[in-house]
Amino acid sequence: MSVAIKADNLRKIYSGNPPVVALKSASLEINDNEFFTLLGPSGCGKTTLLRLIAGFESITAGELCLYGNNISNLPPEIRPVNTVFQHYSLFPHMTILDNVAFGLRRLGTDKNKANSVAQEMLDLVHLGEYGARKPDQLSGGQQQRVALARALTPQPKVLLLDEPLSALDLKLRQAMRSELKRLQRETGITFVFVTHDQEEALSMSDRIAVMSAGEIQQIATPDEIYERPANRFVADFIGDANFYDAVAGKHKDELVEYIIDDITSLKGQRVESIKENDKVTLAIRPEKVSFVKAGDKDTLAGTVSDIMYLGNTTDYLVILQNNETIKVRAENHHNGEAIANVGEPVSLAINPAALRILKK
Amino acid sequence: MSNSKILQADIKISKSKDIRSLPGFSWFTLSFFIYLYLPLMILVFFSFNSSSSATVWEGFSIDWYFKAFANDDIQRATKNSLIIAVVSTFFATIFATMAALALSRNRKIKHKPMFMGLIILPLMVPEIVTAVATLTFFSTIGLSLGIGNIIIAHTVFCIPFAYMPIRARLQSMDKNLEVAAQDLYANKWETLRLITLPILVPGIFSGAMLAFIISIDDFIITLMVAEAGSNTLPIYIYGLVRKGITPEINAISTILLIISIMFVTLSYWIGKKR
Ligand SMILES: Nc1ncnc2c1ncn2[C@@H]1O[C@H](COP(=O)(O)OP(=O)(O)OP(=O)(O)O)[C@@H](O)[C@H]1O
Ligand SMILES: [Mg+2]
């Protein structure tokens, strides 16, 4: 597997008064033919990183390589990289076909050839009949696919997509997800996809880089990000989690007792880098907590304080004996009845393997 | 019950605040428009008078138009007006387009608001001041090109008029379009030629029409700068009026009026498109 994009301590400061540090120091490797996602909250620097790769912004420090060639100082019109813009930015005065053929024409392909490739690409995104229209005669979803076709037609080595689905409604967005995955497989082009929607990221990506405040927090596959978040930010940003401060106790075989307070402790797996008496944060996904019969070994006792019905699942807020709250997510019975009612005493169990231990 | 009463009272209050419901508002509006347009209507009306009086109606005729068209002096003045307007519109629009592009797209230019102010400032300087200044300037440097002097003067004062719609168009244009073009392998020149300028065309057109009409209509500056033999239509009309108003003047004025309305409407309409 070869590396498509290699970023080495990329740094971006927007000059101004005061200057804005949009990217502190980002290092990452994106593999050839990979669906790579940049995920993070608004303002964390995703677009900035993408614009650096495209060449729309100059790099303040660091190095950027494309298939081993240093492209840090190349202007955008020379980089074999294309972008799908958030608001599509189709050329309003050109027909759809001219829009899609634009890149090839500028690369010097003759008109007939460029048009026929553009037509093929339009067919690929199911818009073969729309070539003669102008962009403002298409719906949002259709414009989105034209933007995709336009960026794919010159067959770039890497395709950059900046929240391309954010302007679409939910149903269309879901349909476009599989459409995008299909296009990526069929064209074999490396996709770098920006989103702040975790569901989008988890469902489409080969790997995800989670970003926060100009820094990359973790790069891993979707299930790794979800099951083994590297820090509290990642655990909190992706999915739901309960967090507790604790101290590592003595270990017995591979299990360690993590002490939250005098009356509460949880068993979890031993982590190589954490020693006895180290301070840690425990993260527990709500769906990894289960209701058990009272009196079982290693259970937490508590009282249900609130219930939120979510369709296929229900969230129960349980107040533990130490007055901490824990959120428990359980699948609903066939008849839709609640497992426990507000005010009811319950016992909870947590599988030691499901307890994430994060260094403080 | 009481709630709905309060609501109704609210609605009444808000209605009475609406200026359109003030008593006499429609009469006021009507008299305002009469005040604005009645003189023009009278002027147009008497251009069709069959007698030579511009104030006493005697019957319908279009003779005055034929007379006006046949008049050598009018023909010469019209020709001058058109040459001056076309040439100065052409140059003013080019300068205005370049200024607008530079001020909104060139990152290296500093103090942009100041330059923008400098371009628009002539709109706020009293025209008589510009006129005197232009005249003094021309006589100081000894420039005497006849109609050329007028063209130079017109080009200069038409620039801000041409500049404004072009700038408005550039401001409302999605900057990502140019970025997208570069992303798709267009160099700076191709981006300008294939993306920016075509999208800018309505703004440029609109600006050119404004400039044209401003040039055709100008009186004060032209009067100062014009030398013998390079009369424009407004100056010729002014000369006629001093000898006494005839329906011939009404006829020429009506034609000027129609041209003005046409161009302003066209400029507005094209500027509004997309
Ligand atoms: N041209 C610019 N000049 C100055 N600061 C900028 C500029 N562009 C972005 N920033 C700042 O840099 C930071 C990162 O911005 P960026 O657009 O990369 O965020 P993002 O992760 O894409 O956010 P979003 O999800 O809202 O699009 C923000 O604090 C933003 O205000
Ligand atoms: Mg962004």
Side-chain angles (χ1 to χ4, degrees), chain A residues 78-97:
Chain A
I78 299 190
R79 300 187 187 196
V81 167
N82 289 144
T83 308
V84 178
F85 293 85
Q86 183 164 5
H87 299 290
Y88 319 143
S89 301
L90 299 178
F91 306 131
H93 56 300
M94 295 184 187
T95 63
I96 297 303
L97 190 69

Side-chain angles (χ1 to χ4, degrees), chain A residues 46-48 86 162-163 194:
Chain A
K46 307 180 296 286
T47 298
T48 301
Q86 183 164 5
D162 191 357
E163 308 203 27
V194 163

Side-chain angles (χ1 to χ4, degrees), chain B residues 23-76:
Chain B
F25 179 77
S26 45
W27 282 110
F28 181 78
T29 313
L30 191 66
S31 46
F32 175 74
F33 277 109
I34 289 175
Y35 171 72
L36 264 186
Y37 287 106
L38 192 60
L40 288 178
M41 275 149 56
I42 292 173
L43 178 129
V44 173
F45 183 74
F46 278 104
S47 71
F48 296 107
N49 199 354
S50 60
S51 91
S52 65
S53 163
T55 44
V56 185
W57 180 256
E58 283 189 5
F60 179 84
S61 103
I62 51 170
D63 286 350
W64 291 109
Y65 285 87
F66 284 114
K67 273 221 176 87
F69 283 126
N71 182 329
D72 280 348
D73 288 337
I74 291 181
Q75 281 185 2
R76 204 172 313 119

